[in-house]
Amino acid sequence: MLERTPTLATLLQGTDDRLIVSGLGSAANDVAYITDFSPRAFTMDGVMGAATSIGLGVALARPEREVLVVTGDGELLMNVGTLATVAVQNPQNLRIIVLDNGLYGLTGGQRTATATVTDLEAMARGAGIRRTMTVRGEEDLGRARELIATPGDTAFVLVKVAPGPAAAVRIDRDGSRLRTSFRTHVLSERS
Amino acid sequence: MSAPASAPTWPEEVYQVLRAHEVTQVAYVPDAGHKHLIDSAIADPAVHAIPCTTEEEGVGVVAGAHLGGAVGVLLMQSSGVGNTINFLSLIQHCRFPFLTIVTMRGDYGEQNPWQYAAGQAVEPTLRAMGLITLRADTPEDAVRTVDAAFGMTEVGGQAVAVLLTQRLLGAKKF
C-alpha cells in the first residue's frame, strides 16, 4: 500500500503555484512539511469537516489561481454533503485530494466507514463531481498527477494509503496568523 | 379575503447593500424570509449563489472567500444556527470578519411550538461563539442594520449576525 507522505509529495510535484487548504490532523502535517510551511497553505488543526467548503470559497474568489484541498477520509466524512455543494458550483480551478487511510488518526486509530464499506470516490461521483479517480498503487500516480494538473471541471482524487504516521512536524496553530499570511500572499500575487 | 399587500421593498434594498459592500459570494440554506436575496443572488452574474447542504458549510465558504480576498455572506434561518457552532470556532480562533443574516423563528408571535427551542437559543449560542448579534425589527432597521454590520465586519474585523425578527417578517399563521 502507498505511504501517505511520499505519495502526497509526488502528487504535489509541480504545484508550487497552487493555493492549498488542508483539513486537520495528518493532512495538515503532511502539507506543511511538503510545502515547507509556505503561506500559500492554510493548514488547520480544528474545525473538522471545513476544509472543502473553505477551499470552495477560495476557488470562487480567485478563479485565476488553482486551488487544492488536501484532507483525510474522516475529515471529509464529517461533512460529506459539501461534495454536492462543490459539484453544483463546479469551479474549474479546484482539485480535492483525499488521503484515505480508513481510520481516525488523531483519536486512537478507530476505523472510519471507508475501512469497510464506504467508497468516497463513488460518493463524490454521486454528488455530481465530474472528474474522479481512485489511486490504489504506484501505477495510478501518473494519471492522478495529470488529473490534478489539467484545468477543467472540479476533480476529486481519492488516494488509498496505508495507516501510518504523517510527517513529524509541528504546524503553526495560530489561526489568525495563518489567515493573515495566506490572504496577504493571495492579495500580493494579484498585482 | 383581504387584498394582497404590495411586495415590500426592503429585501431589494438589503440586496443593494450587499452589492454596495462588494459581496460576491452568497452562501445559503433556503428560507422564505431570504427568498428575494437568494433569487437576486442567483440572477446576478457578478455573484456566486451557493446553496449549501447544511449551514456550517456556509461558514467555511465565507471564510474561504475572505482568504481569497473576496466578501461573502451566509443566509440562514434560526433553526440552522445550531448547525454552525463548531465551524464558528474557525471564525473566532482565526479572527475572520464574518457576516450572517438570520431569519428568526421561535420568537415574537410564533405559533409552532417546535420552533422555540432553537429560536430562543440563537442569541445565547451565537454570543457564546464570539459573534455580535444585532436585531432588526422594521424595514428601515433591516437595511440600516445590514449596512452597519458591514462596517463592523469588513472594517472592524468582527463577526456579526443580523437577526431579521418576526416583527419584521411576520409570524406564520397556522
Side-chain angles (χ1 to χ4, degrees):
Chain A
M1 254 187 133
L2 293 166
E3 282 180 58
R4 55 179 302 131
T5 311
T7 301
L8 182 63
T10 301
L11 291 175
L12 294 186
Q13 273 172 22
T15 66
D16 293 352
D17 56 338
R18 306 240 174 157
L19 301 173
I20 304 177
V21 176
S22 89
L24 81 174
S26 301
N29 276 37
D30 284 343
V31 165
Y33 171 72
I34 292 165
T35 64
D36 197 19
F37 298 85
S38 166
R40 69 186 170 86
F42 186 71
T43 50
M44 288 182 287
D45 205 13
V47 202
M48 188 166 180
T52 306
S53 54
I54 295 171
L56 173 61
V58 175
L60 294 175
R62 297 261 67 88
E64 78 283 8
R65 292 290 302 265
E66 293 287 321
V67 178
L68 291 171
V69 169
V70 178
T71 193
D73 49 314
E75 203 271 353
L76 181 60
L77 284 165
M78 177 69 73
N79 229 301
V80 75
T82 310
L83 293 173
T85 303
V86 166
V88 169
Q89 299 298 318
N90 190 28
Q92 302 290 296
N93 56 336
L94 180 63
R95 317 281 170 254
I96 301 166
I97 300 173
V98 180
L99 300 171
D100 181 0
N101 59 5
L103 54 83
Y104 293 103
L106 289 181
T107 56
Q110 300 88 348
R111 294 200 298 178
T112 68
T114 68
T116 50
V117 292
T118 300
D119 178 349
L120 280 169
E121 188 206 345
M123 291 181 82
R125 211 179 319 114
I129 297 200
R130 290 147 182 86
R131 300 192 294 164
T132 68
M133 71 170 286
T134 298
V135 173
R136 296 182 189 281
E138 300 279 348
E139 65 280 10
D140 301 320
L141 287 172
R143 198 159 61 87
R145 288 183 60 185
E146 196 178 311
L147 185 58
I148 292 164
T150 310
D153 294 333
T154 297
F156 179 93
V157 179
L158 184 71
V159 188
K160 300 296 263 186
V161 296
V169 296
R170 185 175 289 274
I171 65 167
D172 187 356
R173 284 181 164 155
D174 183 334
S176 185
R177 185 162 55 210
L178 289 167
R179 172 181 64 79
T180 307
S181 57
F182 184 98
R183 190 162 186 269
T184 302
H185 166 80
V186 171
L187 296 179
S188 69
E189 293 285 309
R190 278 169 82 180
S191 49
Chain B
M1 226 170 90
S2 58
S6 60
T9 59
W10 66 264
E12 175 58 21
E13 291 172 52
V14 169
Y15 189 73
Q16 292 308 322
V17 170
L18 301 189
R19 297 298 286 119
H21 289 281
E22 300 181 342
V23 167
T24 55
Q25 295 190 31
V26 176
Y28 64 91
V29 175
D31 184 55
H34 284 312
K35 185 174 190 319
H36 182 81
L37 293 183
I38 292 168
D39 289 347
S40 301
I42 291 168
D44 188 340
V47 169
H48 297 284
I50 306 157
C52 297
T53 64
T54 176
E55 290 79 1
E56 60 260 48
E57 287 171 11
V59 177
V61 168
V62 171
H66 177 78
L67 284 175
V71 181
V73 64
L74 168 61
L75 310 179
M76 61 177 159
Q77 59 175 278
S78 51
S79 323
V81 166
N83 292 347
T84 68
I85 299 303
N86 190 47
F87 275 35
L88 292 175
S89 308
L90 173 74
I91 302 302
Q92 185 181 81
H93 171 62
C94 301
R95 301 178 65 183
F96 276 96
F98 178 74
L99 178 62
T100 181
I101 304 177
V102 181
T103 48
M104 289 300 296
R105 294 291 305 273
D107 201 15
Y108 176 87
E110 180 64 59
Q111 295 186 4
N112 181 350
W114 288 81
Q115 291 287 342
Y116 279 104
Q120 289 300 307
V122 163
E123 286 193 86
T125 51
L126 288 176
R127 286 183 182 167
M129 292 308 295
L131 271 73
I132 297 165
T133 58
L134 303 173
R135 296 176 77 92
D137 288 332
T138 67
E140 305 72 47
D141 217 14
V143 179
R144 210 167 41 215
T145 304
V146 173
D147 190 47
F150 275 109
M152 298 164 75
T153 58
E154 291 306 312
V155 186
Q158 301 301 301
V160 178
V162 175
L163 313 181
L164 304 181
T165 69
Q166 287 168 290
R167 285 180 194 271
L168 170 67
L169 301 170
K172 203 189 265 186
K173 298 279 188 284
F174 291 89

